[in-house]
Amino acid sequence: MQCHGCLPWGSWTRLRGSQPGCRAARCVSLCAASGPGELSCVRYKGGAQENRAQRSSSHHGLDHLRNVASSDAIKKHQKSLSAWFSNQPNEERQFGPSFSLDAVHVDPVIRESSLEQILKPSPDLTIQHQLQQPCRQVISLQNLFDVDACGRQVKNVVLYGTVGTGKSTLIKKMVVDWCHGLLPRFELVIPFSCEDLSHSHVPISLRRLITKKYQHLRDVVPLLGSSNLKVLFILNGLERLNLDFRLAGTELCCDANEPVPPSAIVVNLLRKYLLPEASIIVTTRPSAVRRIPGKYVGRYAEICGFSDTNLQKLYFQLRLSQPGCDGENNVASRSGEQDNLVEMLSRNLERQNQIAAACFLPSYCWLVCTTLHFLYFTRTAPPSQTLSGIYTSFLRLNFSGEVLDSTDPTKISMMKYVAKTVGKLAHEGVMSRKTSFTEEDLQQCFEVEMKTESELNQLEVFRSDVFRFFLTPCVQPGKEHTFVFTIPAMQEYLAALYVVLGEKKTLVQKVGKEVSEIIGKVSEDAAVVLSIVSKVLPLRFLPVLFNLLKMFPRFFSRLSGKGRDTIARTMAEELFKEEDYYNDDVLDQINSSILGVEGPMRHPDEAADDEVFELFPIFMGGILSRRNRAILEQLGCSIKNLAAFEIAKAMKKTVIRNSRKGLPPSELMDYLFFLHEFQNERFTAEAVRSLRTVNLSSVKMTPLKCSVLASVMGSTSHEVEELNLTSCNLDTSIPPALNSLGPDACKEIRDLLLHDKCAVSNLRLGNNPIGEQGAQYLAEALAGNRSLTHLSLLHTALGDRGVELIAQQLAENQQLQELNLGYNSLTDTAALRVVEVAKKHVTLDKVHLYFNDISEDGKRALDSLRMDRDGVRALVFLTAGTDVSDYWSSILNVVHKNLPFWDRERVRQHLTIILQDLESSRRQTVNPWRKAKFLRVESEVKKMLGKLQHGTL
């Protein structure tokens, strides 16, 4: 006797008798549900002779089956499916030409479940409960159709998971595996998209539906149901379909040739009334699991994401180590950068950081990899994508225009619902500088304005399917029962979306919009009536009444215009907050949030730093770009062209005016990044015209930042007088290739200087590991540039070879007046070579050569230069023959400013040599005035040496 609770389906079930003594006869029961809770059964008996006939027929069918399995039709079907399901969206192509689903796929954890577990509310919402569920059995994708606990063969499987757990990717991988012969259990796999089926209500037969989607199966379809072909149907995204399993709602159909609505085909396949031998796997969100009665389901399985951090590490290793991921051909350099990224990311995951909770969802692992790729492997100017574009595409990949609840008559898109509710929570958090939210905060945001049954149902679906995609339990000690946004930047993106969509309205604006729409419609109808009445009854008040009806919509239009001014004003206020002036730039903040901050961890009792939300206004600008608006339109979040135009117009009065104030380097970098994200060439050109000096000193200039700088500054015929990029290599704990202005960045600077609209006259690149390769790029820039007058390459690791490369191209330049090559380990040969070129240069009259390895003979040769005779002056020491150099204070100021970035021991040695040179020159002069000048300068050098030795400088 079989227990009824173990039956995988109930409406049409074949039960095999297993009682002793009944081998000569077999009993088959067919049970059909005639109504809710009712069963009608018909018993059929057959003898041993019929068994033998069936076995003979079965052997014949198996022979026929082998022929079908090896037929050209199925092979063509496999080839077609493989090409279709292996095709990756554009967002995946950035990971290199060798990227493929086979190469980087990591199977998420799948746990066997039951309907009782699905319906039971979770008692604990902490992240530890998500990551540790040992009581539930883990099952692999290949074993989903194994026999159940009662020994029954499973035919129908429901595979469910919340948004972002990887349902669609897992199905893609399953189909590709079958195409490559890695799923031998099935001889034919037929995938269907429930979204596709939901758009058709015209009756169609199952066989016609299959051949309509897959023409290669024309010769195979007639065999369905008539042979023992092992078929698997895949129904992806069942939540898109409204299914009715009542007989009154969907009639029984066992004929694959009978035209019925597509939803009726799905229902009868799941009932096992149509093609009962076929296996079916259904993917869906948790809220739609109950649409299939439990008696039709053989196994429930939940996709639990990457609940093990080792799976997360494996995913990152595969993604970030793809050949061609960084777009470079240098294998050694590529491997080193990628290995460093993976190592830092792994260390951050091991710290039990919040990022480990985020990467519980495979979708967020993708977002982390894509963001790192953007930060570290962007090599083109302008960059091929924007950060706001990455987040918008991320939401498209996960929501793709889905409605929240297909059974709800409002058909509100999932993303629109998120923008209205979660966006409101995110915005309130940004305004109050808060990143963690209590249960009361969530109730206030989601439940206060709920008035109807439809809104309550929408909230239940959201809680079940979407909530944990955006909000996750906090892992910080003492805050385990609060929620934070899964990725910090997602809070700022949704807050920006909430504002730009106009969801942040006052009560007057909300009421005004509704009344305006009503009166606007009434006025159209009233216009016709009043025009007729005015001809019959010459009443003077009728035109007045007509104009009054038209007045309110016009007033509301002005009110809407003020709302767009408010958006622009909010953007400007958040972009130029003075309390955020001395933070790291936003790109460094994102980098730290993903890779962590190297060094000792914060003590739990130590006060946390104030939260900063500098990405919020940048995302507001990015969302308004044309490409992002087009994607958001697909997600049900419409931003009209007129609204975007009016916001940009209002921004000219606020954003550009505020940008004219002096900005610290990190804030200026944020402003340039904002202009890049906004993707509005006309607005950017007008904004750049207001910049006379671009000071980015001490900013960690990665190739991405240089690309942003080059693309923004190249947008117009700008008249930038000074470009200061000194001291960009501040963090020595991270490899220079990841964090400083190196050779790759010099390539972008070369492109900027060679731009036909470039007007940069003063360029400072000191304290950066430019090296020989960077010198080659800068030499090419010098040869073709027509605006540069002052160039500082102080402490840039050029060496003799790098300076030789610059000297070779220097003659081609006609504008340069001053060149600083100090602290570059130059010997006499290189120093004299560049001075010889400078002598012949039309405009170059000053070359800085201090703190180099120049001998006494070289110094004497350089000291002999005369401005009136040679046309150039070389600054080597603080002396000029038997006198103090006119530039001694400038040289000491340079040392004082750059000491934090220089080798202190080497500086001490050079200062000692300079002091000895001063003392020697003082002894050689007899002029008392000169002796006094020497003593003054010696005093300054001794004071600096003393502070250096005591560590106070």
Side-chain angles (χ1 to χ4, degrees), residues 411-464:
K411 302 294 183 186
I412 183 172
S413 78
M414 193 179 291
M415 198 61 231
K416 181 70 172 178
Y417 184 87
V418 167
K420 290 168 65 99
T421 55
V422 188
K424 178 183 177 183
L425 181 72
H427 180 260
E428 290 176 356
V430 168
M431 292 297 102
S432 58
R433 289 188 169 250
K434 183 169 67 174
T435 58
S436 60
F437 305 91
T438 63
E439 194 73 34
E440 291 74 19
D441 294 329
L442 299 181
Q443 290 175 357
Q444 185 73 19
C445 176
F446 291 101
E447 298 179 11
V448 166
E449 297 183 2
M450 195 166 55
K451 300 174 184 177
T452 65
E453 181 73 15
S454 175
E455 290 174 339
L456 177 61
N457 292 337
Q458 289 174 0
L459 179 59
E460 288 301 316
V461 173
F462 171 79
R463 281 175 172 167
S464 172

Side-chain angles (χ1 to χ4, degrees), residues 206-253:
L206 174 60
R207 290 180 177 175
R208 176 70 186 108
L209 181 64
I210 294 172
T211 55
K212 182 181 178 181
K213 305 297 180 185
Y214 306 106
Q215 294 184 1
H216 298 303
L217 297 180
R218 287 191 305 270
D219 298 331
V220 180
V221 165
L223 302 174
L224 294 177
S226 61
S227 69
N228 291 328
L229 188 65
K230 296 176 182 177
V231 182
L232 171 65
F233 286 97
I234 297 177
L235 302 173
N236 188 34
L238 191 76
E239 67 275 358
R240 304 290 188 98
L241 283 175
N242 293 327
L243 302 181
D244 189 350
F245 280 81
R246 299 171 304 156
L247 288 181
T250 305
E251 63 178 344
L252 296 174
C253 175

Side-chain angles (χ1 to χ4, degrees), residues 667-895:
E667 291 303 304
L668 180 57
M669 187 69 242
D670 288 347
Y671 180 55
L672 295 175
F673 188 59
F674 165 81
L675 295 175
H676 164 68
E677 291 285 312
F678 193 32
Q679 295 285 292
N680 186 321
E681 290 186 9
R682 182 179 298 178
F683 182 91
T684 300
E686 190 166 339
V688 168
R689 288 193 196 105
S690 64
L691 299 176
R692 288 289 178 266
T693 299
V694 177
N695 180 11
L696 296 174
S697 60
S698 302
V699 172
K700 300 173 186 176
M701 291 299 291
T702 62
L704 169 62
K705 294 177 188 176
C706 291
S707 298
V708 169
L709 174 64
S711 63
V712 170
M713 301 305 291
S715 62
T716 183
S717 181
H718 45 79
E719 298 178 359
V720 175
E721 297 173 357
E722 180 179 347
L723 178 58
N724 188 349
L725 297 174
T726 59
S727 306
C728 296
N729 185 17
L730 302 182
D731 193 346
T732 56
S733 65
I734 297 177
L738 299 183
N739 237 344
S740 62
L741 178 60
D744 289 332
C746 289
K747 186 177 181 181
E748 309 302 335
I749 294 173
R750 177 200 63 185
D751 296 340
L752 171 64
L753 293 176
L754 293 177
H755 196 284
D756 56 356
K757 297 179 181 179
C758 179
V760 175
S761 60
N762 191 333
L763 177 60
R764 300 181 187 179
L765 300 176
N767 300 324
N768 293 293
I770 289 175
E772 184 179 326
Q773 181 61 57
Q776 178 65 50
Y777 291 132
L778 293 176
E780 294 171 9
L782 277 176
N785 178 264
R786 297 293 178 266
S787 64
L788 203 60
T789 58
H790 295 74
L791 174 62
S792 174
L793 297 175
L794 176 71
H795 189 216
T796 51
L798 297 178
D800 284 359
R801 178 57 184 159
V803 170
E804 175 63 30
L805 291 170
I806 289 174
Q808 290 173 4
Q809 300 291 336
L810 202 54
E812 300 295 325
N813 182 279
Q814 301 298 317
Q815 285 79 31
L816 195 64
Q817 299 173 12
E818 184 174 351
L819 177 63
N820 191 335
L821 298 174
Y823 202 157
N824 272 295
S825 302
L826 305 186
T827 62
D828 294 359
T829 304
L832 292 171
R833 166 79 171 115
V834 76
V835 168
E836 285 300 320
V837 175
K839 284 182 181 181
K840 302 173 185 177
H841 198 279
V842 179
T843 57
L844 184 60
D845 58 16
K846 193 182 298 181
V847 180
H848 299 248
L849 293 169
Y850 42 80
F851 277 59
N852 282 302
D853 301 330
I854 299 174
S855 67
E856 284 296 323
D857 292 339
K859 177 181 177 296
R860 282 193 293 270
L862 293 170
D863 280 345
S864 66
L865 293 172
R866 293 290 179 268
M867 189 66 194
D868 54 353
R869 183 189 68 205
D870 302 307
V872 65
R873 181 183 296 277
L875 280 62
V876 185
F877 284 93
L878 303 187
T879 59
T882 58
D883 197 359
V884 175
S885 171
D886 294 339
Y887 303 98
W888 71 269
S889 61
S890 299
I891 296 174
L892 288 183
N893 281 335
V894 168
V895 175

Side-chain angles (χ1 to χ4, degrees), residues 86 233 336 368 374 379 496 569 662 666 843 901:
S86 298
F233 286 97
V368 166
F374 174 67
R379 297 288 190 265
R569 191 164 53 251
S666 62
T843 57
F901 318 110

Side-chain angles (χ1 to χ4, degrees), residues 336-366:
E337 282 187 319
Q338 293 168 336
D339 290 345
N340 280 321
L341 283 179
V342 173
E343 182 181 350
M344 287 187 284
L345 191 53
S346 296
R347 284 204 298 268
N348 203 24
L349 289 170
E350 290 166 1
R351 294 189 187 106
Q352 298 299 318
N353 206 316
Q354 194 71 48
I355 192 173
C359 293
F360 175 80
L361 293 173
S363 289
Y364 276 96
C365 292
W366 181 91

